[in-house]
Amino acid sequence: MSATSSDVLQHAPADVPQLTKPGLAGRGPAVAKIGLAAAVVALAAGFLIFNGLRSASVYYLTVSELQAKGPAAYQQPARVAGVVRPGSIQRLSGGLAVRFVLEDQSGAMPVEYRGVVPDIFGDHTEVVVEGRYTESGVFVAKTLLAKCPSRFEAEQ
Amino acid sequence: MLPLSSLGFLALQLALPVAMYAVVAGPLALRVRSMPLLLSARNGVLAVAALLTLVSATLVHAFVTHDFGVRYVAEQSSRDMPLQYIITAFYGGQAGSLLYWAWTLSLLSSAVVVLSWRSARPLMPYVIAVLMGVETFFLVVLNFVSNPLERLPFTPADGRGLNPLLKDPGMFVHPPLLLAGYMSWTVPYAFAMAALLSGRLWNEWLIVVRRWALLAFTILGAGLLMGSWWAYHVLGWGGYWGWDPVENAALMPWLTGTAFLHSIMVQERRGMLKVWNLGLAIATFALAIFGTFVVRSGILTSVHSFAVSAIGPFFFGFLALTLIASLALLFYRLPLLRDEQEFDSLVSRETAFLVNNLLLVALTFAVFWGTIYPLISEAVRNVKMTVGPPYYNQVAGPLLFALLILMGIAPLMAWRRASLGNLARSLRWPAAAALSGTMLAALAGALKPGALAGILAAVFVAATVALEFWRGIAVRRRLAKEPAAVALTRLVARNRRRYGGYIVHLAIVLIALGVIGSSFFQQQREVTLAPGERAQLGPYTIQYLGLSEYRTAEARLIRAELIAERDGKEVAQLRPERQFHKNWEQQPTTRVAIETLLPRLEDLYVVLVGWEETADGYHASLHLFVNPAVSLIWLGGLVFLVGTTITLWPQPQPARAVLRVPAALRRMAGSEA
């Protein structure tokens, strides 16, 4: 193999002893304790992740997928992506609320949203709404995200 | 006459074979033991930098001269665009940002082969090969997939212009910092791979790589902070961090990079964690490539992954290849990577570093899992699920709390085996300070358990750092009889690594306090007001005076005039705006009005959402926020830069023994089996 032992000694800082202890057999009790501590950290993190996913994940659907679920989707928290139908935007109560139709190739649904509308929201904008689908067929959104501002590329 | 951009086009083509030459010539020089060949590989690195500088210069020239025959220039700029936005137009699109990546990598690679030539000569053949291998990938993409100097078949009269979201001072700084931050993790990766390829796996590569890793840590950290600053000041949603996939992508390599910077100390001091360190260098680079790729591909922002852009498969292929090759090499070298020592005690500095690493990696994993969860759930359960900020806050909160506590204890722990008695004695004062700080916060009304726990941890860290400084100063005052100020300066100047590191810890404390204050105690409300009407938010009364319109050469501005009062006294005048830029009238941009109010250290943050003409004038819809402590985050950012600069600043060293060339060459050649 490559490096000779004299190389190793030449290059190692003087304060590091170059002892190599034998394999697992020679390991002290500290190693076991530290292994246990590491396992505790890993388990705790795993639990946090599992718990977080269980309580905080929502469906991410297109308009037609949501509608295909039918009544099963009513009042379930969901995140829906689609495109704003041109000409469908109605601004209500002085701009603090908006109604529009969100559509994709095969579905369309009205969306109601109260809150600040992102700068790039408009006809044909790709948006993601988060909220609940209601029995009346209207999606009541708590958040409205326009296409991620990190992508400034022109659509060709 | 040919346009200048054709010259750049040629230079871009030429850079590819030059980079490929360096990839081959470096390792070949080692095999045939030829110093001239090695020098030619090094010159190849410098030549790539010169060529890509020329390419970038011709692209800037095309922007300045409005050469709309270049497709990228036509897409990213227009005749009426002020000159200063050319900088943002350069990296505003895909092709330009990839060129920026490749160009900065070529400059940094040149810096590496020049500055680390002496200290790491035996590794250099492979360092050059890996750096230029990565460069080759970017040059392939730039030449064949996304070429910024590609010409259109015709020359349009004017360009499309720059997206107005990019027309902001914050955009000058944070995207190039983030891209450069991603890019600079290539250097630690290159050294790690060089160590693996050459079999020179002792501390040599680590000692050289520390500074480069610290540089990458600083640049990416500054990019993250500037990105948050931009989001807060420009996007107008009242926050600075949204756990967006793009933000997560930038955070992950910074977290694993932070872990790397800490764990290499354990290898330096104790010869342990060798495999772990190499693994972290590889993982950090992979995450940096992933980050570059996520920003540009749209893989995570669209509901279905078919919207991925043309460069997606290239990046995925590169990422997969890099990971497989690196891990295979790591596995192959495992026999050489046995640790020289083992842990002596559960209570020791090295154990603290190990747990710190586990927490940082766990946090990275949690963020990664949340970010790619839509893809995973779709693949596994055939239904796309997604997680938002609640998931991240739930998971990150406890992990960050544990990290802070550890950050407080670890500096007071001895290497190898810390005595519990000593540790407890050292921790008395910081613990007392933390408890009194928490009590004060509770008396001031911060009565939320999560916030109090965070404040406890943050004050604890600040107190241990203060204790460390105080002890160091006391020793110098006693032994060298120096006045306190001199002792402090010399203490820091002579132990830059250690005390610079503590200053970075203080920066983290400030940022933590800012995050705690603003995420637990933000107040907000949305209102529609008639002229003269008032709204109450927290202790503030905000009065809307009216709307006015302005015009500039580039844009039409609508501005709301507001006055904020507290206890009947005027504390701030606020003027939030909407701007309608020429050619982009459908996409008005927000100018948030922000006033930081002392002594409570709160930001009044007002967004003009809309307006409506009625009989009694224009009604304005406003989104009002009170954001406590956010300015501590920006202050922490400044302290972060001070700390990292101190750590990076070269320590004046006693005359160093320099390896003579023939000896180095012999060793270099001898290390090849």
Side-chain angles (χ1 to χ4, degrees), chain A residues 10-32:
Chain A
Q10 257 173 333
H11 283 267
D15 62 333
V16 176
Q18 293 296 320
L19 296 172
T20 304
K21 291 190 182 169
L24 275 168
R27 302 231 154 166
V31 177

Side-chain angles (χ1 to χ4, degrees), chain A residues 2, chain B residues 27 30 112 120-131 186-202 204-206 209 278 281-282 326 329 333 671-672:
Chain A
S2 54
Chain B
L30 200 60
V112 169
R121 177 89 47 91
L123 294 170
M124 272 302 152
Y126 293 114
V127 170
I128 291 174
V130 176
L131 288 172
T186 313
V187 177
Y189 172 72
F191 275 100
M193 294 314 285
L196 283 171
L197 285 163
S198 63
R200 304 174 69 89
L201 289 157
W202 49 97
E204 177 187 44
W205 75 278
L206 270 189
V209 91
L278 288 161
I282 295 167
S326 314
L329 192 58
R333 289 297 191 194
S671 72
E672 180 71 7

Side-chain angles (χ1 to χ4, degrees), chain A residues 56-82:
Chain A
S57 61
V58 294
Y59 286 107
Y60 192 16
L61 305 163
T62 61
V63 177
S64 31
E65 282 169 351
L66 179 73
Q67 289 178 328
K69 289 171 82 89
Y74 292 151
Q75 298 303 337
Q76 292 292 318
R79 194 172 204 222
V80 185

Side-chain angles (χ1 to χ4, degrees), chain B residues 327-390:
Chain B
L327 294 178
L329 192 58
L330 183 60
F331 189 74
Y332 168 70
R333 289 297 191 194
L334 275 183
L336 286 182
L337 287 166
R338 186 169 297 166
D339 284 353
E340 289 148 23
Q341 301 179 53
E342 67 177 37
F343 288 94
D344 292 316
S345 161
L346 185 61
V347 188
S348 65
R349 182 78 69 86
E350 47 269 49
T351 317
F353 276 133
L354 181 71
V355 177
N356 138 304
N357 265 251
L358 288 173
L359 288 168
L360 283 166
V361 170
L363 186 57
T364 311
F365 184 75
V367 174
F368 183 69
W369 197 251
T371 310
I372 62 162
Y373 192 56
L375 301 178
I376 291 178
S377 63
E378 189 174 37
V380 176
R381 294 177 46 200
N382 203 23
V383 49
K384 205 150 187 162
M385 307 281 288
T386 178
V387 291

Side-chain angles (χ1 to χ4, degrees), chain A residues 1-4 7-8 10-13 15-23 26-31 33-34 37-39 41-42 44-45 48-53 55-62 65 69 79-82 91-96 105 113-122 126 128 130 148-156, chain B residues 71 75-76 92-94 160 163 165-166 171 198-200 202-204 207 244 246 268-269 295-296 298 301-304 332-333 336 338-346 351 354-355 358-359 362 365-366 369 373-374 383-388 390-391 394-395 398-399 526-528 578 586-590 609-612 621-623 667 670-671:
Chain A
M1 193 89 288
S2 54
T4 62
D7 267 331
V8 176
Q10 257 173 333
H11 283 267
D15 62 333
V16 176
Q18 293 296 320
L19 296 172
T20 304
K21 291 190 182 169
R27 302 231 154 166
V31 177
K33 276 194 231 161
I34 287 161
V41 172
L48 283 170
I49 294 172
F50 175 76
N51 208 30
L53 288 177
S55 66
S57 61
V58 294
Y59 286 107
Y60 192 16
L61 305 163
T62 61
E65 282 169 351
K69 289 171 82 89
R79 194 172 204 222
V80 185
R91 294 193 185 253
L92 314 166
S93 62
L96 276 184
Q105 285 92 343
Y113 167 71
R114 264 194 72 78
V116 177
V117 176
D119 284 343
I120 54 175
F121 178 77
E126 277 177 49
V128 175
E130 275 174 18
C148 173
S150 308
R151 290 187 70 216
F152 304 106
E153 288 296 291
E155 297 296 328
Q156 303 294 308
Chain B
R71 175 206 280 275
E75 279 171 3
Q76 298 290 327
Q94 174 173 291
R160 239 171 55 91
N163 187 317
L165 268 176
L166 291 168
M171 285 310 285
S198 63
R200 304 174 69 89
W202 49 97
N203 289 355
E204 177 187 44
I207 290 164
D244 177 86
V246 176
E268 247 181 89
R269 288 289 288 246
V295 175
R296 286 293 152 205
T301 46
S302 59
V303 188
H304 292 296
Y332 168 70
R333 289 297 191 194
L336 286 182
R338 186 169 297 166
D339 284 353
E340 289 148 23
Q341 301 179 53
E342 67 177 37
F343 288 94
D344 292 316
S345 161
L346 185 61
T351 317
L354 181 71
V355 177
L358 288 173
L359 288 168
F365 184 75
W369 197 251
Y373 192 56
V383 49
K384 205 150 187 162
M385 307 281 288
T386 178
V387 291
Y391 161 79
Q394 240 173 301
V395 180
L399 292 176
E526 292 166 12
V527 288
T528 301
R578 295 284 266 189
Q586 291 311 303
Q587 190 182 324
T589 58
T590 292
V609 178
W611 50 88
E612 208 170 22
S621 299
L622 303 160
H623 200 170
R667 241 195 313 285
S671 72

